[in-house]
Amino acid sequence: MRTRSCLAALTLLGGAGLATVTTPTASAAAQSAVCSDIDVVAARGTFEPGALGLIVGDPVHSALQRKLRGKRLSSHKVDYPADLSLTSAAQGNADLVNHVKRQASACPNQRFVLVGYSQGANVVDNSIGISSAGAVVGSPIVATIPAALEPRVAAVLLFGNPIRALGKSVTGVYQSRTIDFCAQGDPICQNGGGDAPAHLGYTVNAEAAAVFAAARI
């Protein structure tokens, strides 16, 4: 499958370019236990290093901290393999939904910003009820955020979203709270795209994503 081969090549390219970067080692579990104002729940891309994800999660979290100086932020790194296995995205889907449910119960006033990059976008898509089955490293939906908690999701930030190559996008109740970046030529989110390095360039969209989220908080 061409797109799966592209993804494998991208992960090798990303690994070669990112292997020497030092990233924070703070426990995501410890961070997520805090009843902050906003919990940033980030699902990283396939084999992506970083505390929340070097290309997207970390820079988006930093940009949100700058934009929301009057708010207390916490974060959760979705616990899943982020590899090429058939069950990887499904495991992330389950963890994200379980995390939001636990946090929502423990922290009645907390709201959420969901961040997903590449395979992580599949994880977020599934969690809000948009199936990523058939997409690159996608999966059927195994869990969704309960309808009662939907209003507490302030924003959904997606990058290099594989379902877009299938002609799909986020629709329904989350549509107006979703921004979905797909770089020109990115073969993971653009059907027929031929610019593999474009999939690694979403750090440039972190500021715009934070501005979008901040306007909805």
Side-chain angles (χ1 to χ4, degrees), residues 18-171:
L18 304 174
T20 59
V21 176
T22 301
T23 58
T25 58
S27 166
Q31 290 177 326
S32 65
V34 176
C35 284
S36 63
D37 297 314
I38 305 294
D39 192 34
V40 180
V41 184
R44 68 198 189 282
T46 305
F47 302 131
E48 184 187 11
L52 298 176
L54 185 64
I55 295 172
V56 168
D58 293 341
V60 167
H61 186 260
S62 295
L64 282 168
Q65 288 179 312
R66 293 191 297 271
K67 296 295 178 186
L68 300 172
R69 291 192 182 276
K71 302 287 187 181
R72 294 171 300 144
L73 268 65
S74 59
S75 64
H76 173 71
K77 179 180 180 178
V78 173
D79 184 10
Y80 83 117
D83 60 20
L84 299 176
S85 64
L86 295 177
T87 62
S88 177
Q91 292 179 62
N93 176 192
D95 180 77
L96 189 155
V97 172
N98 286 335
H99 171 77
V100 168
K101 289 164 66 175
R102 286 194 304 268
Q103 284 295 117
S105 177
C107 307
N109 297 317
Q110 190 173 61
R111 299 180 72 196
F112 302 91
V113 172
L114 308 183
V115 182
Y117 165 50
S118 194
Q119 183 176 174
N122 286 336
V123 169
V124 174
D125 289 332
N126 283 5
S127 300
I128 61 174
I130 309 295
S131 177
S132 67
V136 178
V137 285
S139 79
I141 294 171
V142 298
T144 56
I145 294 171
L149 300 182
E150 168 264 312
R152 293 174 62 178
V153 177
V156 178
L157 313 178
L158 303 173
F159 305 77
N161 187 357
I163 70 168
R164 290 189 54 172
L166 302 178
K168 296 177 65 176
S169 61
V170 174
T171 56

